[in-house]
Amino acid sequence: MNFGEGRDHFTICSVSTPMGYGGISVIRVSGRHAFEITQKSLKKKNRTFESHKAFLDEFLNTQTLKSIDEVLVLPFEAGKSFTGERVVEISCHGSPVICTAILNELCRNGAELAINGEFTYRAFMNDRLDLVQAESILSLIHSHSELGSELALRQLKGELSSKVTQIKEDIVWCLAHIEAGIDFSEQGITVVEDTVLISKLESVNAHFKDLLDTFETGRVLKDGIVLVLSGEPNVGKSSLMNILLGNDRSIVSDIAGTTRDVIREDLLYKNLKFTLVDTAGIRTNSNDPIEKIGVERSIKERKDSFINLVILDASKPLKDQEDLIFKDLNLERTLFILNKVDLLKPTELPAKQAELKAILGSIIEEKPYIFDDNSLLFTTCKSTETKQLVLGRVYDYWIAKFAHIESVSVSSVRQREELRQAYELLIKVINGLNSQLGSEFIAFDLKGSLMALQRTVGEVYDDQILDKVFKEFCLGK
Ligand SMILES: Nc1nc2c(ncn2[C@@H]2O[C@H](COP(=O)(O)OP(=O)(O)OP(=O)(O)O)[C@@H](O)[C@H]2O)c(=O)[nH]1
Ligand SMILES: [Mg+2]
């Protein structure tokens, strides 16, 4: 069954605040009969339900005629509510017992219990918001940081949707002219020159590319920054993890191979969520099967990180490092940390830096690697200032390199996939125009691109997509 199938005519109800004990709870009722259903259980009969005007009343059990609670009732007329239908919000005292009793009563009066996301689904169906905005509500509820919720709010206000709409309008203009050109071709009339179409579509594509490039930013704001700490055993990965977190989450010892498994912990820094991942020390000469599994996991984790923090022991010759430490490393996203500098004299640091550059130069022969000074940091876990040093560098340099946190961004995989499809079809269209491909073929691809854009905002949709989007919502939303 598809989302909400056959339920359109139901008046639905649900608790919209978390189920638990608190100051108040809010129960939402939405549908054509929301006012009548609520009225049936109110003590005062024949109330006028005026939109946006709250009133106090007693909510009764209609069978026993006993009062369930004193409630504040806030009606919304159809067209003036979140769902677009008649809505009543009932604020009662925050108790699961009271909420359940009120829900039972509403159901007895003719309402149905809502399913997850059904209120937002109705808002979408009644054109109160588009699919991007519906998804942003989910992001807003689940965002882990202030910056994440800012992005979601900007999307909810329609910033991303309006960018998509601008692109769509340009494509519609081109499509209309191409189709008119097909109609008039027999009379030998040229409606628009190909050069005009090409230049218009190329400028559309440039905007498009910028929008697609924001995906990483969107993910960073929505899901946070994953930092994976890897390196040989005993270099101080777990010590650094603890310093960054400000607590003793990982076990630290001078025994090589202390950390066996992957340890994850979140922290907030400058309103962004970071996920730190401590891993088992990478070495190849161990016969311990459990440690070997740990090493495999460390290497896998590095592939999924936003930034790799590769920790090296600065007090030892760097040339003795396992080659594996540098293998399959995405150098564009690697910050080398030379730890334990407290064991070195400050005068020794430049030589260490040169040593690392030489190693990287010799190991990464196939791809010439330009060593950037921002890719290296000297640290000691003996100092608490190390936290600011590491996170500051990641934030100021690395995040700025890959994410533009001020811009509106695409944040869901679904949106990105639809937009990418639209973008690729547009490139095909431009190539077709450049090689004088028949107008019918060009129009076909341009329509495909337009459809993908319409799917992005939900102007056209398939039920499976709606199912996926709305089932992620919590009950009462
Ligand atoms: N002098 C000094 N010792 C450090 C520093 N950082 C860590 N250590 C010590 O180095 C040893 C190993 O530290 P860990 O943090 O457990 O190292 P690890 O990289 O997590 O090691 P494994 O879990 O075995 O892979 C401990 O005795 C730490 O106290 C540092 O900056 N300076
Ligand atoms: Mg460790």
Side-chain angles (χ1 to χ4, degrees):
M1 191 175 98
N2 292 319
F3 196 91
E5 200 173 85
R7 295 176 57 90
D8 300 358
H9 63 285
F10 289 166
T11 293
I12 51 171
C13 63
S14 177
V15 182
S16 284
T17 40
M19 254 309 200
Y21 299 94
I24 58 163
S25 289
V26 178
I27 290 164
R28 186 142 57 174
V29 191
S30 177
R32 205 176 317 149
H33 303 297
F35 293 178
E36 296 89 310
I37 285 173
T38 309
Q39 171 67 81
K40 280 187 196 167
S41 295
L42 295 179
K43 190 170 180 188
K44 188 164 178 217
K45 297 297 157 204
N46 303 321
R47 279 218 176 251
T48 355
F49 280 64
E50 227 180 299
S51 191
H52 295 73
K53 284 232 167 114
F55 57 82
L56 201 63
D57 207 327
E58 273 186 51
F59 204 89
L60 305 179
N61 178 320
T62 44
Q63 289 191 324
T64 61
L65 294 179
K66 278 191 184 160
S67 175
I68 296 173
D69 195 9
E70 194 171 60
V71 294
L72 190 73
V73 179
L74 180 57
F76 298 87
E77 195 44 88
K80 294 180 178 171
S81 70
F82 171 68
T83 59
E85 306 170 323
R86 277 191 161 178
V87 167
V88 178
E89 283 180 8
I90 304 167
S91 306
C92 59
H93 290 100
S95 135
V97 179
I98 296 174
C99 289
T100 310
I102 293 179
L103 285 180
N104 281 340
E105 202 43 47
L106 290 167
C107 290
R108 214 172 7 234
N109 296 346
E112 288 281 329
L113 284 179
I115 50 180
N116 291 28
E118 199 169 10
F119 292 98
T120 316
Y121 172 78
R122 289 190 175 197
F124 167 71
M125 283 304 189
N126 293 324
D127 289 332
R128 303 296 290 177
L129 32 86
D130 65 29
L131 207 51
V132 170
Q133 289 171 311
E135 283 169 321
S136 70
I137 291 181
L138 191 66
S139 308
L140 197 56
I141 296 170
H142 291 283
S143 73
H144 301 284
S145 66
E146 232 174 88
L147 283 172
S149 36
E150 256 178 47
L151 169 73
L153 199 59
R154 290 209 303 256
Q155 289 190 350
L156 181 59
K157 286 185 174 164
E159 281 189 40
L160 179 59
S161 307
S162 78
K163 287 209 168 191
V164 174
T165 305
Q166 271 166 27
I167 296 176
K168 232 176 51 195
E169 279 167 7
D170 286 338
I171 293 183
V172 168
W173 185 91
C174 293
L175 190 59
H177 282 75
I178 292 171
E179 287 189 332
I182 297 172
D183 292 344
F184 288 115
S185 61
E186 281 178 14
Q187 286 105 301
I189 300 171
T190 308
V191 175
V192 64
E193 295 292 340
D194 282 359
T195 48
V196 175
L197 289 172
I198 291 170
S199 99
K200 183 138 188 137
L201 290 174
E202 272 174 350
S203 108
V204 170
N205 246 12
H207 287 303
F208 224 141
K209 173 89 180 46
D210 290 346
L211 202 57
L212 278 172
D213 286 347
T214 63
F215 179 66
E216 178 138 21
T217 306
R219 297 299 280 183
V220 161
L221 294 182
K222 197 171 152 215
D223 302 332
I225 312 267
V226 180
L227 296 180
V228 175
L229 292 88
S230 68
E232 281 195 342
N234 239 350
V235 292
K237 299 179 294 299
S238 302
S239 308
L240 191 62
M241 165 98 164
N242 292 346
I243 285 223
L244 296 181
L245 288 172
N247 64 45
D248 286 341
R249 173 66 181 85
S250 282
I251 301 173
V252 168
S253 87
D254 55 6
I255 303 165
T258 301
T259 309
R260 294 295 190 99
D261 209 342
V262 174
I263 298 173
R264 266 172 238 283
E265 206 63 50
D266 294 343
L267 76 98
L268 272 181
Y269 178 77
K270 291 197 180 178
N271 290 331
L272 255 187
K273 182 188 143 198
F274 286 76
T275 301
L276 300 179
V277 185
D278 185 16
T279 60
I282 296 174
R283 62 174 164 187
T284 44
N285 60 358
S286 163
N287 292 324
D288 183 336
I290 298 173
E291 192 176 347
K292 280 186 173 170
I293 297 171
V295 171
E296 278 167 25
R297 289 190 180 178
S298 308
I299 290 172
K300 184 182 166 300
E301 285 297 326
R302 302 205 302 189
K303 295 207 170 91
D304 301 329
S305 65
F306 181 80
I307 301 293
N308 282 307
L309 302 184
V310 173
I311 329 290
L312 306 164
D313 185 340
S315 68
K316 293 191 177 149
L318 297 181
K319 66 175 170 40
D320 298 339
Q321 291 285 320
E322 289 268 3
D323 285 355
L324 205 55
I325 302 288
F326 303 104
K327 207 165 170 269
D328 292 331
L329 205 55
N330 181 353
L331 286 167
E332 263 200 325
R333 287 176 180 264
T334 301
L335 168 57
F336 292 98
I337 295 189
L338 285 170
N339 191 34
K340 305 198 185 182
V341 281
D342 53 292
L343 302 175
L344 261 69
K345 293 192 201 87
T347 48
E348 291 175 282
L349 301 189
K352 277 285 158 194
Q353 181 157 350
E355 202 183 336
L356 179 63
K357 281 188 191 180
I359 291 175
L360 291 174
S362 69
I363 291 178
I364 307 132
E365 290 153 351
E366 57 298 355
K367 269 195 265 159
Y369 170 60
I370 319 262
F371 193 87
D372 180 337
D373 283 345
N374 284 303
S375 314
L376 174 68
L377 210 54
F378 288 100
T379 63
T380 165
C381 292
K382 302 279 173 201
S383 158
T384 47
E385 283 168 24
T386 299
K387 172 174 179 167
Q388 173 53 31
L389 196 67
V390 175
L391 293 178
R393 173 71 63 87
V394 169
Y395 192 94
D396 295 338
Y397 176 72
W398 290 95
I399 295 178
K401 188 170 174 183
F402 297 109
H404 307 281
I405 45 190
E406 272 74 45
S407 62
V408 171
S409 29
V410 176
S411 60
S412 92
V413 176
R414 184 199 71 81
Q415 293 164 7
R416 200 257 314 251
E417 286 315 304
E418 300 287 18
L419 288 173
R420 190 162 49 200
Q421 206 181 334
Y423 174 72
E424 281 166 4
L425 281 168
L426 217 52
I427 291 182
K428 216 173 145 194
V429 168
I430 295 172
N431 291 341
L433 283 166
N434 276 321
S435 57
Q436 257 119 58
L437 193 74
S439 298
E440 283 84 358
F441 295 109
I442 287 172
F444 181 79
D445 286 336
L446 206 50
K447 269 186 207 153
S449 178
L450 185 62
M451 285 274 278
L453 284 171
Q454 288 174 318
R455 284 196 304 271
T456 311
V457 286
E459 274 173 19
V460 291
Y461 53 84
D462 89 37
D463 290 335
Q464 275 177 343
I465 291 180
L466 292 192
D467 262 24
K468 241 171 121 184
V469 170
F470 289 102
K471 278 198 174 136
E472 279 184 47
F473 278 71
C474 47
L475 206 61
K477 191 61 227 171

